Amino acid sequence: MNNRLKILRAERSWSQGDLADRLGVSRQSVNAIETGKYDPSLPLAFRIAELFGLAIEQVFSSPTQHQSKAI
Amino acid sequence: MNIAVQDSAQAGRRKQLVLVVALEMVALSAAAVAMIFFDLGWVGAILIALLAGAFTIAIVRVGEGKAKAEGNFSVAMGRYNRRMLVASAVYVVGLFGAIWADELIRPGGPLAFLIGFLPSIGVLVMVVAMARLVAEEEDEYQRSRHIRASLFGLGTLLVLATIWGFFEQFGLVPHVPSWAAVPVFALGLGLANCLPGRRA
């Protein structure tokens, strides 16, 4: 699953630690999600989207959807 | 806290952890050499157990400090560390107690089973601590890592036990007592945490 977490975080000048504190998760979790090593559960994905005031699909996108657009 | 200050605090914690682990290895190696060359007896064995215990507490404290500095500390992991320290102490007491009782009273029947069970108590507390960590971890990514590491540890144990068992059957290797299962599982857990991150 692709995400715009790093960009959204950078726009707000938040460190990974800042975002982790706001979400109530570890900094490792934020790093793993940002780098695509871990796909968050739906409840956490909704929490992330709500924190940025966006819809979930504005933060996360399907990699297959991304590929088909590129084709 | 600004990022440069955070980075320097994290590097400091890392150095502390490496230093304590290195010190423990040197101290325990020296203790092992002393045990081989001198007859230290019970007192020596207890002193070495205390030394190992003191270093374990130090490593846990420094490790927790490092995790806190990096924003990776969880309450569940703190509880797990405490439980493992208690379990280790229970194990050492149970093991020494069982050896002492076995030599002193040469038990038979149900009492022999009871005394033989003593060293297992601490190890069983460790198994419960591992299970509680997975159950109590609230951070879903950390929980997924614990589960992944547990599966890797289990796989390591199954693979090694199967291969070793058949080697033993054909008289190629010496017998290994079955209490080695938990240390081998723990070795797999440790290895899993050292492997490069895979997609969870």
Side-chain angles (χ1 to χ4, degrees), chain A residues 1 15 25-29 32 36-41 44, chain B residues 3 6 70-72 139-142 144-145 197-200:
Chain A
M1 192 158 69
S15 68
V25 299
S26 64
R27 194 199 55 78
Q28 262 182 336
S29 301
K37 283 183 196 153
Y38 177 71
D39 290 335
S41 66
L44 179 57
Chain B
I3 291 172
Q6 263 182 358
E70 293 172 353
N72 294 324
D139 186 306
E140 61 177 57
Y141 171 66
Q142 301 283 7
S144 79
R145 289 191 61 193
R198 298 238 173 87
R199 211 179 148 75

Side-chain angles (χ1 to χ4, degrees), chain B residues 17 53 56-68 72-89 125-126 128-130 132-134 136-137 146 193:
Chain B
L17 187 60
T56 307
I57 292 170
I59 288 173
V60 166
R61 292 187 65 141
V62 175
E64 282 186 355
K66 178 176 170 287
K68 279 176 189 164
N72 294 324
F73 182 75
S74 74
V75 177
M77 184 53 86
R79 278 194 214 120
Y80 169 78
N81 289 339
R82 302 287 169 281
R83 284 170 184 154
M84 286 305 260
L85 285 177
V86 171
S88 303
V125 176
M126 288 180 197
V128 171
M130 290 178 206
R132 297 304 306 159
L133 174 64
V134 173
E136 292 174 5
E137 182 58 77
H146 300 322
N193 287 321

Side-chain angles (χ1 to χ4, degrees), chain A residues 6-67:
Chain A
K6 194 171 181 178
I7 299 162
L8 294 168
R9 186 169 61 74
E11 283 171 0
R12 287 153 182 83
S13 304
W14 290 349
S15 68
Q16 285 185 342
D18 294 334
L19 179 56
D21 287 344
R22 285 174 163 86
L23 291 168
V25 299
S26 64
R27 194 199 55 78
Q28 262 182 336
S29 301
V30 170
N31 184 55
I33 296 168
E34 263 189 21
T35 52
K37 283 183 196 153
Y38 177 71
D39 290 335
S41 66
L42 261 181
L44 179 57
F46 273 115
R47 252 168 48 216
I48 292 169
E50 280 163 15
L51 180 70
F52 289 113
L54 298 167
I56 198 163
E57 62 271 22
Q58 289 175 296
V59 182
F60 297 97
S61 61
S62 154
T64 49
Q65 199 178 33
H66 211 71
Q67 276 166 4

Side-chain angles (χ1 to χ4, degrees), chain B residues 2-16:
Chain B
N2 99 23
I3 291 172
V5 175
Q6 263 182 358
D7 284 349
S8 120
Q10 286 169 14
R13 295 286 185 177
R14 247 193 313 274
K15 274 184 196 161
Q16 264 185 347

